[in-house]
Amino acid sequence: MTNIEQEQFRQRAVAEAMSQLIPNTNFQHFIGVLREQREVVIEDICRDDSIRDDRTTMALIGELRALKNIIGVYDEYRRREAI
């Protein structure tokens, strides 16, 4: 399985699990918290001490990517539901 196929598989698995959670208002609040956290991580990446430390930078980029993927799956599911 290629890296792209693995990423697509992971996103499908998250979307499938998420489909049961989306109607729950608590889950919608949770996604809001993830959106806020994404902004915090972006600010952290821009700090001078983060930029100087490669490990910190890479960890923050990994965290940002994970948040972006989860929020993206949620947004895509909501978009398809609206159509």
Side-chain angles (χ1 to χ4, degrees):
M1 186 179 282
T2 67
N3 288 340
I4 293 172
E5 290 171 332
Q6 288 176 344
E7 182 65 26
Q8 290 171 340
F9 176 78
R10 283 192 296 268
Q11 286 189 353
R12 279 193 304 274
V14 170
E16 187 176 309
M18 198 179 283
S19 68
Q20 301 297 314
L21 298 171
I22 286 178
N24 185 316
T25 56
N26 291 328
F27 184 72
Q28 293 169 17
H29 174 70
F30 173 70
I31 292 294
V33 170
L34 292 183
R35 289 181 197 283
E36 292 169 7
Q37 185 59 33
R38 179 183 58 190
E39 296 305 311
V40 170
V41 171
I42 290 169
E43 291 296 320
D44 287 348
I45 289 172
C46 296
R47 286 190 344 251
D48 288 339
D49 59 325
S50 297
I51 293 169
R52 280 188 218 113
D53 184 353
D54 290 343
R55 290 184 73 179
T56 300
T57 301
M58 295 308 293
L60 288 167
I61 290 171
E63 183 178 356
L64 180 60
R65 186 175 181 191
L67 291 168
K68 182 180 177 291
N69 286 340
I70 293 168
I71 293 167
V73 169
Y74 174 82
D75 288 344
E76 178 63 20
Y77 187 90
R78 294 297 295 220
R79 188 190 65 75
R80 281 187 281 165
E81 288 291 306
I83 295 176

